[in-house]
PDB file of all heavy atoms in Angstrom:
ATOM      1  N   CYS B 523      29.036  19.154  60.385  1.00 97.00           N
ATOM      2  CA  CYS B 523      30.109  19.240  59.427  1.00 97.00           C
ATOM      3  C   CYS B 523      30.540  17.882  59.103  1.00 97.00           C
ATOM      4  O   CYS B 523      30.998  17.064  59.896  1.00 97.00           O
ATOM      5  CB  CYS B 523      31.277  20.021  60.018  1.00 97.00           C
ATOM      6  SG  CYS B 523      32.622  20.267  58.859  1.00 97.00           S
ATOM      7  N   LEU B 524      30.528  17.607  57.738  1.00 97.00           N
ATOM      8  CA  LEU B 524      31.022  16.273  57.240  1.00 97.00           C
ATOM      9  C   LEU B 524      32.468  16.409  56.708  1.00 97.00           C
ATOM     10  O   LEU B 524      32.828  17.556  56.366  1.00 97.00           O
ATOM     11  CB  LEU B 524      30.122  15.841  56.062  1.00 97.00           C
ATOM     12  CG  LEU B 524      28.595  15.877  56.228  1.00 97.00           C
ATOM     13  CD1 LEU B 524      27.906  15.120  55.109  1.00 97.00           C
ATOM     14  CD2 LEU B 524      28.149  15.347  57.587  1.00 97.00           C
ATOM     15  N   VAL B 525      33.111  15.318  56.635  1.00 98.00           N
ATOM     16  CA  VAL B 525      34.491  15.438  56.092  1.00 98.00           C
ATOM     17  C   VAL B 525      34.661  14.272  55.099  1.00 98.00           C
ATOM     18  O   VAL B 525      34.491  13.093  55.343  1.00 98.00           O
ATOM     19  CB  VAL B 525      35.560  15.304  57.183  1.00 98.00           C
ATOM     20  CG1 VAL B 525      36.996  15.573  56.627  1.00 98.00           C
ATOM     21  CG2 VAL B 525      35.256  16.246  58.317  1.00 98.00           C
ATOM     22  N   MET B 526      35.268  14.647  53.973  1.00 97.00           N
ATOM     23  CA  MET B 526      35.652  13.690  52.951  1.00 97.00           C
ATOM     24  C   MET B 526      37.163  13.715  52.812  1.00 97.00           C
ATOM     25  O   MET B 526      37.774  14.824  52.690  1.00 97.00           O
ATOM     26  CB  MET B 526      34.989  14.060  51.624  1.00 97.00           C
ATOM     27  CG  MET B 526      35.466  13.101  50.468  1.00 97.00           C
ATOM     28  SD  MET B 526      34.881  13.736  48.790  1.00 97.00           S
ATOM     29  CE  MET B 526      33.159  13.049  48.854  1.00 97.00           C
ATOM     30  N   GLY B 527      37.838  12.555  52.654  1.00 97.00           N
ATOM     31  CA  GLY B 527      39.168  12.473  52.419  1.00 97.00           C
ATOM     32  C   GLY B 527      39.442  12.011  51.067  1.00 97.00           C
ATOM     33  O   GLY B 527      38.846  10.892  50.699  1.00 97.00           O
ATOM     34  N   ILE B 528      40.174  12.675  50.224  1.00 97.00           N
ATOM     35  CA  ILE B 528      40.425  12.291  48.838  1.00 97.00           C
ATOM     36  C   ILE B 528      41.854  11.836  48.706  1.00 97.00           C
ATOM     37  O   ILE B 528      42.746  12.566  49.108  1.00 97.00           O
ATOM     38  CB  ILE B 528      40.187  13.419  47.849  1.00 97.00           C
ATOM     39  CG1 ILE B 528      38.679  13.783  47.762  1.00 97.00           C
ATOM     40  CG2 ILE B 528      40.621  13.096  46.434  1.00 97.00           C
ATOM     41  CD1 ILE B 528      38.304  14.923  46.885  1.00 97.00           C
ATOM     42  N   ASP B 529      42.035  10.647  48.307  1.00 96.00           N
ATOM     43  CA  ASP B 529      43.396  10.033  48.171  1.00 96.00           C
ATOM     44  C   ASP B 529      43.774  10.371  46.696  1.00 96.00           C
ATOM     45  O   ASP B 529      43.101   9.963  45.752  1.00 96.00           O
ATOM     46  CB  ASP B 529      43.330   8.533  48.417  1.00 96.00           C
ATOM     47  CG  ASP B 529      44.746   7.906  48.379  1.00 96.00           C
ATOM     48  OD1 ASP B 529      45.665   8.534  47.888  1.00 96.00           O
ATOM     49  OD2 ASP B 529      44.899   6.820  48.972  1.00 96.00           O
ATOM     50  N   LEU B 530      44.923  10.933  46.551  1.00 95.00           N
ATOM     51  CA  LEU B 530      45.427  11.289  45.185  1.00 95.00           C
ATOM     52  C   LEU B 530      45.669  10.016  44.373  1.00 95.00           C
ATOM     53  O   LEU B 530      45.520  10.013  43.117  1.00 95.00           O
ATOM     54  CB  LEU B 530      46.660  12.123  45.192  1.00 95.00           C
ATOM     55  CG  LEU B 530      46.501  13.536  45.659  1.00 95.00           C
ATOM     56  CD1 LEU B 530      47.801  14.339  45.598  1.00 95.00           C
ATOM     57  CD2 LEU B 530      45.403  14.276  44.918  1.00 95.00           C
ATOM     58  N   SER B 531      45.898   8.917  45.100  1.00 93.00           N
ATOM     59  CA  SER B 531      46.076   7.606  44.367  1.00 93.00           C
ATOM     60  C   SER B 531      44.794   7.234  43.661  1.00 93.00           C
ATOM     61  O   SER B 531      44.901   6.637  42.554  1.00 93.00           O
ATOM     62  CB  SER B 531      46.420   6.516  45.316  1.00 93.00           C
ATOM     63  OG  SER B 531      47.608   6.792  46.088  1.00 93.00           O
ATOM     64  N   ASP B 532      43.701   7.648  44.162  1.00 92.00           N
ATOM     65  CA  ASP B 532      42.385   7.333  43.546  1.00 92.00           C
ATOM     66  C   ASP B 532      42.240   8.199  42.216  1.00 92.00           C
ATOM     67  O   ASP B 532      41.293   8.027  41.451  1.00 92.00           O
ATOM     68  CB  ASP B 532      41.185   7.543  44.461  1.00 92.00           C
ATOM     69  CG  ASP B 532      41.267   6.544  45.537  1.00 92.00           C
ATOM     70  OD1 ASP B 532      41.833   5.458  45.448  1.00 92.00           O
ATOM     71  OD2 ASP B 532      40.691   6.805  46.670  1.00 92.00           O
ATOM     72  N   MET B 533      43.067   9.193  42.092  1.00 91.00           N
ATOM     73  CA  MET B 533      43.041  10.014  40.845  1.00 91.00           C
ATOM     74  C   MET B 533      44.193   9.687  39.920  1.00 91.00           C
ATOM     75  O   MET B 533      44.461  10.419  39.066  1.00 91.00           O
ATOM     76  CB  MET B 533      42.984  11.432  41.247  1.00 91.00           C
ATOM     77  CG  MET B 533      41.697  11.921  41.857  1.00 91.00           C
ATOM     78  SD  MET B 533      41.329  13.657  41.736  1.00 91.00           S
ATOM     79  CE  MET B 533      42.538  14.365  42.887  1.00 91.00           C
ATOM     80  N   GLY B 534      44.770   8.520  40.223  1.00 89.00           N
ATOM     81  CA  GLY B 534      45.895   8.073  39.335  1.00 89.00           C
ATOM     82  C   GLY B 534      47.272   8.586  39.677  1.00 89.00           C
ATOM     83  O   GLY B 534      48.170   8.406  38.872  1.00 89.00           O
ATOM     84  N   TYR B 535      47.459   9.317  40.713  1.00 91.00           N
ATOM     85  CA  TYR B 535      48.720   9.865  41.017  1.00 91.00           C
ATOM     86  C   TYR B 535      49.577   8.719  41.695  1.00 91.00           C
ATOM     87  O   TYR B 535      49.078   7.888  42.475  1.00 91.00           O
ATOM     88  CB  TYR B 535      48.582  10.984  42.028  1.00 91.00           C
ATOM     89  CG  TYR B 535      48.165  12.314  41.393  1.00 91.00           C
ATOM     90  CD1 TYR B 535      46.898  12.445  40.924  1.00 91.00           C
ATOM     91  CD2 TYR B 535      49.097  13.282  41.325  1.00 91.00           C
ATOM     92  CE1 TYR B 535      46.543  13.695  40.343  1.00 91.00           C
ATOM     93  CE2 TYR B 535      48.739  14.495  40.760  1.00 91.00           C
ATOM     94  CZ  TYR B 535      47.434  14.648  40.281  1.00 91.00           C
ATOM     95  OH  TYR B 535      47.087  15.856  39.636  1.00 91.00           O
ATOM     96  N   ALA B 536      50.848   8.726  41.315  1.00 91.00           N
ATOM     97  CA  ALA B 536      51.769   7.813  41.855  1.00 91.00           C
ATOM     98  C   ALA B 536      52.303   8.350  43.233  1.00 91.00           C
ATOM     99  O   ALA B 536      52.219   9.524  43.488  1.00 91.00           O
ATOM    100  CB  ALA B 536      52.984   7.563  40.929  1.00 91.00           C
ATOM    101  N   PRO B 537      52.740   7.425  44.084  1.00 92.00           N
ATOM    102  CA  PRO B 537      53.253   7.900  45.397  1.00 92.00           C
ATOM    103  C   PRO B 537      54.318   8.961  45.074  1.00 92.00           C
ATOM    104  O   PRO B 537      55.296   8.710  44.221  1.00 92.00           O
ATOM    105  CB  PRO B 537      53.811   6.693  46.036  1.00 92.00           C
ATOM    106  CG  PRO B 537      53.067   5.522  45.476  1.00 92.00           C
ATOM    107  CD  PRO B 537      52.753   5.963  44.079  1.00 92.00           C
TER     108      PRO B 537
END
Side-chain angles (χ1 to χ4, degrees):
Chain B
C523 182
L524 313 191
V525 188
M526 171 187 284
I528 293 179
D529 187 343
L530 290 184
S531 300
D532 293 336
M533 290 202 286
Y535 281 70

